[in-house]
Amino acid sequence: MDLYSGYINKLIDELAGLPGIGNKSAQRLAFHLINLPEARVQRLAKAMVEAKQNVRYCKDCFTLTDSEICPICANDRRDHTTIMVVENARDLAAYEKTGKYTGVYHVLHGAISPMLGIGPHDIKLKELMERLSGEQNIGEVIIATNSSLEGETTAMYISKLIKPLGIKVTRIASGVPVGGDLENIDEVTLLRALEGRVEL
Amino acid sequence: MDLYSGYINKLIDELAGLPGIGNKSAQRLAFHLINLPEARVQRLAKAMVEAKQNVRYCKDCFTLTDSEICPICANDRRDHTTIMVVENARDLAAYEKTGKYTGVYHVLHGAISPMLGIGPHDIKLKELMERLSGEQNIGEVIIATNSSLEGETTAMYISKLIKPLGIKVTRIASGVPVGGDLENIDEVTLLRALEGRVEL
């Protein structure tokens, strides 16, 4: 049914495939875009294409960057003997925002998920192992994958691979979020918090 | 903080202004776009710019189209004596999908909202009045604005403008949605349904 215009339908189709954008949101977005000034639409279109064309993986840690080595890996004041393994660049950003972590990162770009058919070869795990065997003085690998089934599976898998190398492997703590109200927190988290209790 | 790359930050900024896309969704979208094949990103960018450049208002009903007159207004088999007034092109699409309405439309592109500072002059109301006084044989104007405060205000306003022209003005019914469970429906709707009850 060609209710609107072929141009609008094409735009809706292109938008609807994006994550978190269903058919209804794609429609709303398309109409919004059409009502924006043309310069704004051109800017958005250009930003998309330029980002796609210029952004690549950091040669060392595989985060997204527009230079060969990302600013974090290129920074001599960071502790290059500590590597935090995260699932994606957004998780890296989340830890960077704390401003307290001074080591470097390794971005896996995913997590092992047998359900979704994502195996160890589909994430940047081989690259992590190459990096660990290439560099001599790695003191600690902190596994900061998500606290989900996939994240935990990945953490277990990685720790088993790394331990034989004699490198210290740690996992970020899971428990009750700061400011969290106990009554609103799921049972698994509550049990984790109990198991991981520390002496005061 | 330039965590990623200037290109990504720019893309996130451009995305974050769109409706329903906050900062977090903009980040997620941006990373997704970067991981898509370049051809797909180019296609989306092109679809956006082309839609913006080619889509305009129908000369008669002000819906969005890429020709001077939209397919509905250009269709001789439609009943051009009945005009349904809707707030936007999506509402038009919703009625078109029923397949049962054979009249034509008038798209207001908004609703009167004193709260948001949108007055009668900010929507295509003058154009509706010009259309009604220009054409001789309008039999009925069906006001199908939303059943919200703004929609009702707009409906009242329009009906007061049109009645002096001697044209029949109707309003779509409001009541309990088909398949709606009474216990989940708000009181205002329940009262409306009661007031608008029909004899069986």
Side-chain angles (χ1 to χ4, degrees), chain A residues 14 34 36 38 52-53, chain B residues 34 36 38 40 52-53:
Chain A
E14 290 290 343
I34 286 163
L36 287 178
E38 187 178 333
K52 174 64 204 169
Q53 286 173 336
Chain B
I34 286 162
L36 287 178
E38 187 179 332
R40 171 83 167 80
K52 174 65 204 170
Q53 286 174 337

Side-chain angles (χ1 to χ4, degrees), chain A residues 1-8 10-11 13-21 24 27-29 31-38 40-57 63-66 70-72 89-90 92-94 96-97 109, chain B residues 1-8 10-11 13-21 24 27-29 31-38 40-57 63-66 70-72 89-90 92-94 96-97 109:
Chain A
M1 196 166 33
D2 195 12
L3 280 181
Y4 313 117
S5 144
Y7 292 103
I8 301 185
K10 211 163 129 192
L11 178 55
D13 286 349
E14 290 290 343
L15 287 169
L18 301 174
I21 301 187
K24 284 248 168 185
Q27 266 192 36
R28 210 177 52 225
L29 262 180
F31 285 118
H32 181 83
L33 285 169
I34 286 163
N35 284 320
L36 287 178
E38 187 178 333
R40 170 82 168 80
V41 177
Q42 294 273 17
R43 256 197 344 262
L44 172 57
K46 193 164 153 245
M48 263 168 27
V49 173
E50 279 188 353
K52 174 64 204 169
Q53 286 173 336
N54 290 292
V55 173
R56 55 182 129 170
Y57 292 145
T63 191
L64 297 165
T65 177
D66 49 14
C70 77
I72 296 171
R90 274 167 289 148
L92 179 156
E96 275 304 284
K97 277 177 195 151
H109 290 282
Chain B
M1 197 165 29
D2 196 10
L3 281 182
Y4 313 117
S5 144
Y7 292 103
I8 301 185
K10 211 162 127 189
L11 178 55
D13 286 349
E14 291 289 344
L15 287 169
L18 300 174
I21 301 186
K24 285 247 166 185
Q27 265 192 38
R28 209 177 54 225
L29 262 181
F31 285 118
H32 180 83
L33 284 170
I34 286 162
N35 285 321
L36 287 178
E38 187 179 332
R40 171 83 167 80
V41 177
Q42 294 272 17
R43 257 199 341 264
L44 172 57
K46 193 165 153 242
M48 261 167 29
V49 173
E50 280 188 353
K52 174 65 204 170
Q53 286 174 337
N54 290 291
V55 174
R56 57 182 126 168
Y57 293 145
T63 192
L64 297 165
T65 179
D66 50 14
C70 77
I72 296 170
R90 273 168 292 147
L92 178 157
E96 275 305 283
K97 277 176 196 149
H109 291 281

Side-chain angles (χ1 to χ4, degrees), chain A residues 147-163:
Chain A
S147 186
S148 60
L149 180 61
E150 290 79 14
E152 296 292 357
T153 308
T154 311
M156 290 270 277
Y157 191 92
I158 297 179
S159 73
K160 281 190 182 158
L161 282 182
I162 297 179
K163 270 183 187 158

Side-chain angles (χ1 to χ4, degrees), chain B residues 128-199:
Chain B
L128 172 63
M129 299 317 292
E130 279 167 10
R131 187 173 167 193
L132 292 179
S133 53
E135 290 189 51
Q136 298 300 317
N137 52 354
I138 302 294
E140 181 177 355
V141 173
I142 303 167
I143 305 181
T145 51
N146 286 335
S147 186
S148 60
L149 181 61
E150 291 79 14
E152 295 292 358
T153 308
T154 310
M156 290 270 277
Y157 191 90
I158 297 179
S159 73
K160 282 191 183 156
L161 282 183
I162 297 180
K163 271 183 187 158
L165 303 179
I167 298 170
K168 184 176 166 192
V169 187
T170 57
R171 176 90 175 100
I172 54 166
S174 69
V176 177
V178 179
D181 207 343
L182 283 199
E183 64 176 349
N184 299 324
I185 291 169
D186 64 291
E187 292 161 32
V188 182
T189 303
L190 288 177
L191 284 176
R192 281 282 182 82
L194 186 63
E195 284 164 15
R197 66 191 179 277
V198 288
E199 214 171 316

